[in-house]
Amino acid sequence: KSLVLLCVIFLVLEGINSQYNLALYWGQDGGGTEPPLATVCSNAQATIINIAFVDIFFDPNDNNLPGINLSDHCSATFPGLPDLLDCPQVAQDILSCQSQGIKVLISLGGASGAYGFTSESQAQQFAQTIWDMFLGGSSATRPFGNSVLDGADLDIEGGSPSYYGNFVSSLRSLMSSDNSKQYFISGAPQCPYPDAYLGPALQSNGNDFDFIWVQFYNNYCSVLGGSFNFNTWAASASANTVIFVGLPASPSAAGSGYVPANQLQPVLDGLMSNSKFGGVMLWDAGWNEQTSYSNQVAQMLNINMLNATNV
């Protein structure tokens, strides 16, 4: 009888451990202390990694292929394409992360860069480019070699909001054509609702998004700012979409919005009754290296990396 009870408790805990996810951005070397990707995947307890960033969509220096910025993690480029990184070590690290059950996405946009679309056809073309260069397609210029990423993230913080719905729709169609693995699409809007840049795409193509990690920092609607609006985002989410609480991993990682761990725990406890709550997103792995904040958050979310992730 005791053995049966222990088995039941173990199964329940395993269910809890796989219920939420912890997303972490990597690639911009926040604080100048960001470890290699494989090290982050081994130590940070994240279940999803967003590689940041494809910050130029149509780079004239790269024959209008995308430009990539990974800070000092990678500097080699393809011949004749000065902004298109060729990163074999990152490719190996991606495979290491994925072998642990961690999902790895390529993040598009960022706080600075040259990105956006001028037409529906251009957005559709870019979806094919991302598919071929990072996901299940094929290209002679794949920055991470034969590794196949698990999806794409939209961190759009400038430019025109037009045609992102067309991009997401086209990318989702390409993902649906590949039965070999599951792919994901995420977005990182800022917390004022609706978001100025991703708002139209979320309105028109919300069903195509799996995760929305709202940036509840650098704004009045931060977690502790008195106007925390998670419920607004949750109420607007499509049926298949979950909402993450996006936070800085250190007081220095953002201008405002850092939440000390002892104050975060009751907030997360309160959100766990909301079926739209998907977990926590942190910016970023470099700042996290100084605080180990992700490990504290993982404990709050009952994430056990021996059990990996439910995504």
Side-chain angles (χ1 to χ4, degrees):
K1 188 174 180 179
S2 298
L3 180 60
V4 171
L5 179 59
L6 286 173
C7 289
V8 170
I9 291 173
F10 177 75
L11 288 172
V12 170
L13 288 176
E14 285 295 283
I16 291 173
N17 285 338
S18 64
Q19 186 173 0
Y20 303 111
N21 283 285
L22 174 58
L24 181 64
Y25 279 86
W26 175 90
Q28 290 302 294
D29 195 21
T33 57
E34 191 166 70
L37 179 57
T39 303
V40 170
C41 287
S42 295
N43 297 338
Q45 292 287 298
T47 60
I48 303 169
I49 295 289
N50 296 318
I51 295 181
F53 289 108
V54 171
D55 63 341
I56 305 175
F57 285 3
F58 305 96
D59 192 332
N61 295 323
D62 291 339
N63 296 330
N64 280 330
L65 291 171
I68 307 173
N69 181 335
L70 294 182
S71 187
D72 58 357
H73 291 295
C74 176
S75 59
T77 60
F78 286 95
L81 303 172
D83 295 327
L84 185 54
L85 298 180
D86 182 11
C87 309
Q89 184 58 59
V90 177
Q92 291 182 34
D93 288 0
I94 290 168
L95 295 175
S96 173
C97 296
Q98 291 174 326
S99 73
Q100 301 172 58
I102 298 169
K103 305 302 181 185
V104 184
L105 281 60
I106 184 68
S107 187
L108 317 176
S112 62
Y115 53 81
F117 307 115
T118 58
S119 68
E120 179 179 341
S121 61
Q122 190 185 52
Q124 293 168 338
Q125 170 198 341
F126 190 65
Q128 184 70 57
T129 298
I130 294 300
W131 175 255
D132 290 340
M133 292 178 62
F134 299 98
L135 303 173
S138 61
S139 170
T141 51
R142 287 180 66 91
F144 307 132
N146 292 328
S147 64
V148 179
L149 299 188
D150 299 290
D153 170 61
L154 289 170
D155 181 13
I156 307 304
E157 301 186 32
S160 168
S162 299
Y163 306 111
Y164 282 102
N166 301 108
F167 167 77
V168 168
S169 177
S170 296
L171 187 60
R172 178 59 74 189
S173 294
L174 290 165
M175 291 175 169
S176 298
S177 70
D178 182 358
N179 295 323
S180 66
K181 67 182 295 178
Q182 185 177 9
Y183 294 95
F184 304 93
I185 297 176
S186 62
Q190 298 178 64
C191 59
Y193 183 86
D195 181 69
Y197 303 108
L198 275 183
L202 292 172
Q203 179 68 32
S204 64
N205 295 83
N207 286 328
D208 291 322
F209 287 87
D210 299 287
F211 317 123
I212 300 297
W213 15 79
V214 182
Q215 298 182 44
F216 289 107
Y217 49 92
N218 292 335
N219 267 300
Y220 69 90
C221 36
S222 61
V223 171
L224 302 179
S227 299
F228 182 44
N229 62 347
F230 179 92
N231 289 336
T232 300
W233 283 95
S236 68
S238 298
N240 299 324
T241 307
V242 291
I243 306 298
F244 285 57
V245 176
L247 298 169
S250 157
S252 301
S256 63
Y258 176 74
V259 182
N262 65 329
Q263 293 178 267
L264 181 60
Q265 180 74 73
V267 174
L268 298 186
D269 288 345
L271 293 177
M272 287 178 182
S273 61
N274 190 322
S275 63
K276 303 306 289 184
F277 175 59
V280 173
M281 173 274 283
L282 297 178
W283 176 268
D284 66 352
W287 293 110
N288 185 68
E289 182 68 11
Q290 301 178 12
T291 62
S292 297
Y293 191 63
S294 66
N295 300 89
Q296 300 173 70
V297 175
Q299 185 174 9
M300 297 178 204
L301 296 174
N302 294 310
I303 289 174
N304 174 5
M305 282 309 294
L306 294 175
N307 192 41
T309 170
N310 71 322
V311 297

